[in-house]
């Protein structure tokens, strides 16, 4: 059953109003009809709703809530990935697979020898694109949250905030112990 995300303000009594890009996906890609079931997750509370479509317009899809389910798909382990910026579009694949595996947050890191360099305008577009990839991967894998993709940082800033984490694992190809 397809899964979609909404905010609390889109839920009123026993109805949920889906707006935005998901409307086009429901109408044109899924070709959903009135009476079909959808799973809808509230991003604010992580509650899942089993719904049936009651109305389809070009602007919104209205669904009737059939059941409310507290899901337990999210791990209680909070994993943050600090990922060095790779060449080309490899970062998109890295984000997709890490989100599918259950990561809570991904922070791109500009390394000393990184080929990829961003200016302010480029980084905003990249973060927006990466966040969309995170959302799609969350829907596909049935997650209850959309992991956040942070603004790229550097090693110095990571070292300043290292005390926020219980365990820090660093992958290093020349490590022998």
């Amino acid at each position: 059953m397809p899964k979609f995300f909404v905010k609390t303000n889109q839920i009123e009594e026993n109805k949920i109003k889906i707006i935005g890009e998901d409307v086009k996906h429901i109408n044109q890609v899924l070709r959903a009809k009135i009476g079909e079931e959808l799973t809808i997750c509230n991003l604010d509370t992580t509650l899942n709703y089993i719904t049936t479509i009651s109305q389809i317009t070009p602007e919104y899809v209205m669904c009737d809530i059939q059941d409310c389910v507290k899901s337990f798909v999210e791990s209680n382990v909070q994993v943050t990935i600090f990922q060095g910026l790779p060449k080309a579009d490899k970062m998109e694949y890295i984000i997709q697979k890490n989100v599918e595996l259950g990561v809570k947050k991904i922070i791109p890191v500009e390394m000393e020898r990184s080929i990829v360099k961003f200016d302010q305008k480029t980084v905003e577009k990249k973060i927006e694109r990466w966040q969309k990839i995170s959302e799609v991967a969350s829907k596909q894998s049935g997650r209850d949250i959309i992991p956040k993709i942070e603004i790229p940082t550097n090693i110095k800033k990571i070292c300043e905030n290292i005390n926020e984490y219980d365990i820090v694992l660093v992958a290093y190809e020349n490590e022998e112990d």
Side-chain angles (χ1 to χ4, degrees), residues 5-13 15-17 40-47 49 65:
F5 293 102
V6 295
K7 298 279 188 176
T8 302
N9 63 357
Q10 293 172 260
I11 302 170
E12 294 179 12
E13 294 179 22
K15 295 200 178 280
I16 298 176
K17 188 177 192 177
I40 300 175
C41 181
N42 182 341
L43 281 172
D44 300 325
T45 64
T46 68
L47 281 175
Y49 299 94
I65 297 173

Side-chain angles (χ1 to χ4, degrees), residues 84-87 109-117 155 173:
L85 290 169
K87 294 191 279 187
V109 181
E110 293 177 356
M111 300 294 190
E112 183 178 311
R113 296 186 179 160
S114 290
I115 294 172
V116 178
K117 302 291 182 199
I155 294 290
E173 69 273 10

Side-chain angles (χ1 to χ4, degrees), residues 15 20 26 41 46 65 69 77 89 91-92 112 130 154 160 168 171:
K15 295 200 178 280
I26 292 168
C41 181
T46 68
I65 297 173
V69 181
V77 178
D89 60 352
M91 187 67 170
E92 295 176 3
E112 183 178 311
W130 292 341
N154 57 38
E160 290 172 2
V168 178

Side-chain angles (χ1 to χ4, degrees), residues 24 86 106 118 140 147 152 157:
K24 181 179 176 185
I106 300 173
F118 294 120
Q140 181 177 350
K157 289 181 183 172

Side-chain angles (χ1 to χ4, degrees), residues 16 38 40 48-52 64-70:
I16 298 176
L38 299 176
I40 300 175
N48 285 286
Y49 299 94
I50 306 300
T51 66
T52 54
D64 294 331
I65 297 173
Q66 303 301 318
D67 196 11
C68 180
V69 181
K70 179 64 179 163

